[in-house]
Amino acid sequence: MRFRIVFPVLFFTLILASCKSDEIDQSEGRPNPNIILIMTDDQGWGDLGINGNPDLSTPNIDRLTREGARFERFFVSPVCSPTRAELLTGRYAVRGGVYSTSAGGERLDLDETTIAEVFKQAGYRTAAYGKWHNGMQPPYHPNARGFDDFYGFCSGHWGDYFSPMLERNNEIVEGEGFLVDDLTEKGLSFIEANKDQPFFLYLPYNTPHSPMQVPDEWWSKYENKALDSMYQDPEMQDMDFTRAAYAMCENIDWNVGRLMTKLEDLGMLENTIVLYLSDNGPNGWRWNGGMRGRKGSTDEGGVRSPLAIQWKGQIEAGTIIHQIAFTPDLLPTLADLAGIPLETNKDLDGKSLKPLLLKEEGEWPERLLVSHWGNQTSVRSQDFRLDHEDRLYHIPSDPGQQVDVSEAYEAIKDKLLAKKKDWIASVLVELPENDPRTFTIGHPDFANTQIPARDGQAHGNIQRSNRWPNDSFFTNWTSTEDKITWKVEVLEAGKYEVEIYYTCAEENLAPMMRLSLGNASLSGPVDLPHDPPLEGMEYDRVPRGESYVKDFRPFTLGTIDLEKGKGILRLEATQIPGNQAIDFRLMTLRRLEE
């Protein structure tokens, strides 16, 4: 098997371009509903007041569940990018080539149909503001996957939440204030601008993912707060980390309240479906309903997520849904609720939850849902979980997965084992052992390409600023034998202007940098000093595990003529007058008009 490398201009580009808003179904005498889909990052099921946590207040999210529907047993993937891929496609993430959270393994295959493409084809305006985490370079970029407008970052995590370097539609920009507040502001503006036409707004917030940064007004409540909610093994719990997570969750709740107030003020509540969920279990050992597992685990606590869906006048307030469901269900559910066609390149793994939400008559069939990450594969039925070591647990009576009931329920275990084996043989097999995909440059429809340190390979003395590639930079460039390389494919030949985001101390001026690909090369000196300090720690509430950041600035290296095709992009320092060359964060290649 191999990855599917199919570049849009894609079949969908032609279709989407021909779509008009007047194609929207008016069969019921009203326009199709707007969609607002909010997904938080590393917020556990237990990080909400509605789920019984006494230590934090989330009235706006709680209200969503009370005035709409709440799923009691909703499951996502154990980590970020697979959940996002499943939300986008309605399919298991491994089918779409997503197997990692960085260095290219987070990218969603190009022959997958996204939820944004489905809604855009139906005439919706589409936007995504926040953490994308399914590919950066077009055609993997959100603007190439059906989103008209994008603001945020494409990496797996970010190193600064206060006015950081971000991007808007593949152009580097500076954020405005605390990031979740900023993303919400963009969402509010989008709602206002599109109040007279149907829209799909995706808000993948970046918190409470670390680094644990949150404004003073939220932190001050928790800084010295005694906590009553504890993980079942209190010695494993980092209390300050938990306090910071709760402060971040309360900030999220405040922003959800801002969104709902905007809808109410505009009279749009009855024609807007609002969803709220998280992308995986909690990012620390803290109270989570007594469940075993956290982020990264296929146990119950690692994959159970809150899910609230509100649609005033359509979904009965206070609806509680006990049937199991999972992320791939969201695409078919939203298309079904919106009354729009659902045509995708591939068969879906999810199914529409509309019958449950609208309490339609009919029997709901038994389901078996698979959770997978790395070498862990777990299977969930309505009441049982087969864990990755093939132990069986009755979850309603044993959420902590303490008692293996395999002997008492042999028939059930056999059924779940059979599902696991079939899934590995028929689904996981679609993911090849080696990823042949390159990083793309110069998509015909996008002039700008970002090439970050995250996706590069360091050679020689060069070191990554942190072992986690996301949001890292390269440093310790001390020898002319050192270099950084990327496996790339140029999709359209042409002349490209190259900018490098760098730092360089005055005593190390002026290293001669050389960029090459195939027979093309470009050289130039870095002759302007820029040596800012590391940043981030001044905002951190607890010590971070991620890289600190710097105020990286761009300098123009020059222009390079690139031919279409694959090769190795190399960045070298051919002369190093001082102790080292540059610290490298990012490179942009902009195709120039002929």
Side-chain angles (χ1 to χ4, degrees):
M1 302 298 292
R2 57 185 177 87
F3 281 83
R4 285 78 65 194
I5 306 177
V6 182
F7 294 108
V9 167
L10 281 174
F11 169 73
F12 270 98
T13 304
L14 297 174
I15 295 178
L16 301 181
S18 67
C19 296
K20 302 182 184 297
S21 59
D22 59 7
E23 294 175 356
I24 293 173
D25 180 15
Q26 304 285 336
S27 60
E28 297 184 17
R30 55 178 171 77
N32 292 70
N34 308 305
I35 310 291
I36 299 178
L37 201 167
I38 305 163
M39 182 163 65
T40 57
D41 194 3
D42 289 358
Q43 182 180 29
W45 177 90
D47 293 338
L48 293 175
I50 192 71
N51 288 334
N53 192 324
D55 284 321
L56 77 170
S57 176
T58 52
N60 296 297
I61 302 167
D62 297 352
R63 184 181 175 188
L64 272 179
T65 69
R66 294 192 178 102
E67 297 187 357
R70 180 176 77 195
F71 281 77
E72 284 289 282
R73 300 292 178 182
F74 185 79
F75 300 100
V76 294
S77 284
V79 292
C80 312
S81 46
T83 293
R84 294 158 202 273
E86 292 179 353
L87 181 152
L88 289 171
T89 65
R91 289 161 45 83
Y92 283 111
V94 293
R95 292 192 192 272
V98 176
Y99 61 90
S100 180
T101 58
S102 65
E106 79 283 3
R107 291 175 295 177
L108 179 64
D109 278 346
L110 300 172
D111 56 355
E112 296 286 339
T113 307
T114 73
I115 192 170
E117 290 169 330
V118 169
F119 276 87
K120 186 171 181 176
Q121 183 178 351
Y124 278 62
R125 287 284 296 168
T126 59
Y129 303 136
K131 169 180 168 177
W132 173 245
H133 206 188
N134 283 128
M136 173 179 281
Q137 299 84 12
Y140 297 97
H141 191 274
N143 289 136
R145 307 311 295 261
F147 286 101
D148 298 314
D149 196 25
F150 172 71
Y151 176 81
F153 59 95
C154 290
S155 192
H157 63 252
W158 217 230
D160 184 7
Y161 295 167
F162 290 87
S163 301
M165 179 174 69
L166 300 171
E167 63 165 288
R168 181 115 201 205
N169 299 328
N170 206 23
E171 299 290 338
I172 304 298
V173 297
E174 183 177 338
E176 302 176 46
F178 185 62
L179 186 48
V180 177
D181 300 349
D182 188 11
L183 300 174
T184 303
E185 284 292 338
K186 299 301 185 291
L188 294 173
S189 297
F190 179 81
I191 293 169
E192 182 74 43
N194 293 280
K195 60 181 182 292
D196 296 323
Q197 61 181 332
F199 62 77
F200 178 89
L201 172 59
Y202 177 36
L203 287 170
Y205 287 149
N206 60 292
T207 56
H209 195 297
S210 54
M212 309 306 283
Q213 296 184 340
V214 65
D216 289 342
E217 62 185 295
W218 308 103
W219 174 241
S220 60
K221 173 181 175 180
Y222 281 96
E223 185 174 8
N224 299 305
K225 180 180 172 64
L227 300 181
D228 296 320
S229 60
M230 301 293 291
Y231 182 65
Q232 44 266 42
D233 184 353
E235 292 185 0
M236 297 178 66
Q237 183 162 338
D238 183 327
M239 301 304 289
D240 283 337
F241 191 96
T242 300
R243 292 184 181 99
Y246 288 169
M248 297 162 96
C249 289
E250 290 206 3
N251 169 264
I252 292 169
D253 184 81
W254 176 71
N255 279 292
V256 170
R258 296 170 67 200
L259 291 164
M260 300 309 294
T261 297
K262 170 65 79 172
L263 294 176
E264 188 172 11
D265 291 347
L266 294 175
M268 298 174 64
L269 282 176
E270 293 188 351
N271 198 43
T272 303
I273 301 171
V274 182
L275 299 87
Y276 184 93
L277 73 156
S278 180
D279 64 349
N280 45 245
N283 55 347
W285 298 114
R286 54 184 182 265
W287 186 84
N288 200 24
M291 292 181 285
R292 188 174 85 185
R294 48 165 283 182
K295 175 182 179 178
S297 166
T298 57
D299 289 322
E300 193 79 357
V303 294
R304 186 180 177 190
S305 165
L307 175 63
I309 304 180
Q310 177 183 303
W311 188 10
K312 287 277 191 176
Q314 300 295 321
I315 297 175
E316 183 179 332
T319 296
I320 298 178
I321 296 172
H322 298 282
Q323 288 91 340
I324 59 173
F326 72 149
T327 323
D329 294 334
L330 295 181
L331 169 55
T333 298
L334 291 174
D336 200 3
L337 289 173
I340 65 172
L342 180 56
E343 299 177 0
T344 59
N345 286 342
K346 306 290 182 66
D347 293 337
L348 303 188
D349 294 306
K351 63 181 298 182
S352 174
L353 304 172
K354 178 182 175 183
L356 299 177
L357 289 164
L358 302 187
K359 299 184 179 180
E360 297 175 354
E361 294 184 1
E363 185 175 343
W364 187 256
E366 179 186 15
R367 304 181 75 188
L368 297 178
L369 309 179
V370 177
S371 298
H372 175 80
W373 176 241
N375 60 0
Q376 301 178 49
T377 304
S378 173
V379 182
R380 184 65 151 83
S381 69
Q382 184 62 41
D383 291 326
F384 292 86
R385 178 171 295 280
L386 182 78
D387 77 356
H388 70 282
E389 295 183 356
D390 295 341
R391 297 169 296 193
L392 186 71
Y393 301 98
H394 182 252
I395 298 299
S397 63
D398 183 21
Q401 297 174 230
Q402 298 296 310
V403 181
D404 184 351
V405 295
S406 297
E407 292 185 4
Y409 296 95
E410 290 185 11
I412 292 174
K413 180 173 183 176
D414 288 344
K415 180 187 293 187
L416 271 60
L417 274 172
K419 173 68 175 181
K420 180 176 179 177
K421 292 177 182 178
D422 177 71
W423 189 89
I424 291 171
S426 62
V427 177
L428 187 57
V429 71
E430 294 190 29
L431 190 68
E433 293 184 5
N434 298 307
D435 187 348
R437 297 174 297 183
T438 54
F439 294 104
T440 52
I441 295 174
H443 186 282
D445 296 336
F446 298 87
N448 195 45
T449 302
Q450 298 179 52
I451 303 293
R454 179 199 64 205
D455 298 335
Q457 294 292 322
H459 304 265
N461 302 301
I462 298 175
Q463 298 174 359
R464 200 176 281 282
S465 61
N466 186 273
R467 67 190 184 100
W468 308 112
N470 288 311
D471 198 43
S472 66
F473 59 91
F474 285 122
T475 187
N476 199 50
W477 199 327
T478 59
S479 169
T480 55
E481 300 298 316
D482 301 343
K483 60 185 175 183
I484 307 169
T485 63
W486 296 263
K487 294 180 180 179
V488 301
E489 179 174 6
V490 178
L491 304 181
E492 183 166 290
K495 181 172 290 188
Y496 289 81
E497 182 181 68
V498 178
E499 282 193 330
I500 293 177
Y501 285 74
Y502 80 106
T503 68
C504 184
E506 185 168 5
E507 61 267 23
N508 291 326
L509 292 178
M512 182 66 67
M513 307 305 298
R514 180 176 186 268
L515 182 71
S516 62
L517 176 60
N519 295 321
S521 66
L522 165 67
S523 295
V526 180
D527 52 12
L528 185 65
H530 177 58
D531 189 25
L534 288 170
E535 298 176 349
M537 63 288 291
E538 66 273 25
Y539 297 119
D540 289 356
R541 303 304 180 179
V542 295
R544 66 171 64 191
E546 295 84 6
S547 176
Y548 291 112
V549 298
K550 290 184 179 182
D551 176 28
F552 288 92
R553 298 281 178 84
F555 82 92
T556 301
L557 184 62
T559 60
I560 186 171
D561 287 307
L562 297 180
E563 298 180 353
K564 186 176 180 179
K566 297 181 180 180
I568 302 297
L569 184 69
R570 293 178 174 84
L571 184 64
E572 301 165 284
T574 56
Q575 296 178 26
I576 303 179
N579 294 324
Q580 61 177 357
I582 65 173
D583 283 353
F584 173 89
R585 173 67 180 83
L586 173 71
M587 174 167 47
T588 63
L589 293 91
R590 183 179 301 276
R591 189 175 61 251
L592 302 176
E593 297 293 335
E594 295 293 339

